[in-house]
């Protein structure tokens, strides 16, 4: 039987970056404490100025800008396209990454996962959408106030940056979503 819970943005714990250059609000994770022991982790980071990213050897990362003008990244010496709001970009957690802000401060959204333990799919959705998933873990992150969704027969409302977390799923589940959100599906690689 699957377990569904609503994570409210007001309750997210704040923790320092691994490199000490800023702070992150942790939305959720599968295991571990601090910056160790997790197989996947979802968070929001506030970036006040251009600078280097923390490294996470053994992990993959997918990042999206939530607020602000955006940024460009330099990943292992290679510049990226300009990353604007809700435009995801994937890179290796062990890469040397430097970000350059395109305007003022930004907020970004980060999925970090261990590919030897999980396969991950991340997609941004808007408007009215319906989909089915059989992933063991499904996360629906609200990128705007007033997201409404139905999971099976359960109706839920999410505020800005709230997150629905469905874990332990063993079957095909129907999702109906109205609003702007990010859907993340995590499947055990074993």
């Amino acid at each position: 039987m699957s377990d569904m819970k609503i994570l409210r943005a007001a309750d997210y714990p704040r923790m320092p970056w691994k490199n000490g250059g800023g702070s992150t609000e942790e939305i959720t994770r599968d295991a571990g404490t601090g910056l160790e022991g997790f197989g996947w982790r979802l968070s929001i980071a506030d970036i006040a100025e251009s600078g280097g990213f923390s490294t996470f050897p053994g992990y993959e990362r997918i990042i999206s800008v939530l607020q602000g003008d955006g940024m460009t990244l330099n990943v292992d010496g290679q510049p990226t396209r300009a990353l604007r709001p809700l435009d995801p970009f994937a890179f290796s957690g062990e890469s040397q990454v430097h970000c350059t802000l395109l305007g003022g401060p930004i907020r970004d959204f980060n999925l970090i996962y261990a590919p030897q333990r999980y396969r991950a799919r991340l997609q941004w959705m808007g408007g009215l959408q319906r989909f089915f998933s059989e992933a063991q873990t499904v996360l629906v992150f609200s990128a705007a106030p007033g997201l409404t969704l139905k999971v099976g027969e359960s109706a839920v409302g999410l505020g800005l940056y709230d997150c629905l977390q469905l874990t332990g799923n063993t079957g095909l589940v129907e999702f109906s979503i109205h609003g702007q959100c990010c859907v993340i599906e995590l499947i055990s690689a074993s």
Side-chain angles (χ1 to χ4, degrees):
M1 183 69 185
S2 58
D3 177 39
M4 185 172 74
K5 60 184 170 183
I6 305 301
L7 307 169
R8 299 293 181 189
D11 299 329
Y12 299 156
R14 186 167 284 281
M15 58 182 53
W17 287 354
K18 193 174 173 183
N19 69 6
S23 65
T24 293
E25 290 178 20
E26 184 174 86
I27 300 167
T28 186
R29 63 167 60 211
D30 70 332
T33 57
L35 295 172
E36 304 298 327
F38 62 87
W40 60 264
R41 176 176 177 246
L42 197 60
S43 63
I44 299 170
D46 293 299
I47 302 177
E49 57 190 30
S50 299
F53 279 19
S54 302
T55 58
F56 286 88
Y59 289 90
E60 293 294 317
R61 299 181 68 173
I62 305 174
I63 192 169
S64 301
V65 174
L66 287 176
Q67 293 177 345
D69 293 335
M71 66 180 163
T72 58
L73 298 180
N74 186 299
V75 180
D76 294 328
Q78 298 297 312
T80 67
R81 67 185 187 276
L83 303 177
R84 304 291 182 178
L86 312 186
D87 177 19
F89 182 77
F91 59 96
S92 171
E94 60 195 46
S95 291
Q96 296 299 309
V97 180
H98 186 275
C99 96
T100 301
L101 299 179
L102 299 177
I106 65 167
R107 294 194 97 192
D108 69 25
F109 179 70
N110 297 277
L111 172 65
I112 303 176
Y113 67 97
Q116 67 276 15
R117 293 167 62 186
Y118 291 96
R119 288 182 293 136
R121 179 179 184 203
L122 179 149
Q123 56 189 331
W124 288 95
M125 296 182 170
L128 187 57
Q129 301 280 331
R130 185 170 156 236
F131 68 95
F132 295 83
S133 180
E134 59 183 2
Q136 289 102 343
T137 300
V138 180
L139 305 166
V140 180
F141 174 79
S142 177
L147 178 76
T148 58
L149 65 143
K150 192 172 175 186
V151 181
E153 296 301 314
S154 301
V156 177
L158 297 180
L160 180 64
Y161 301 154
D162 289 348
C163 187
L164 175 134
Q165 179 174 328
L166 180 73
T167 55
N169 184 34
T170 58
L172 192 62
V173 178
E174 180 179 358
F175 292 80
S176 297
I177 296 173
H178 188 242
Q180 186 77 46
C181 67
C182 185
V183 175
I184 297 167
E185 297 168 278
L186 294 150
I187 298 171
S188 176
S190 57

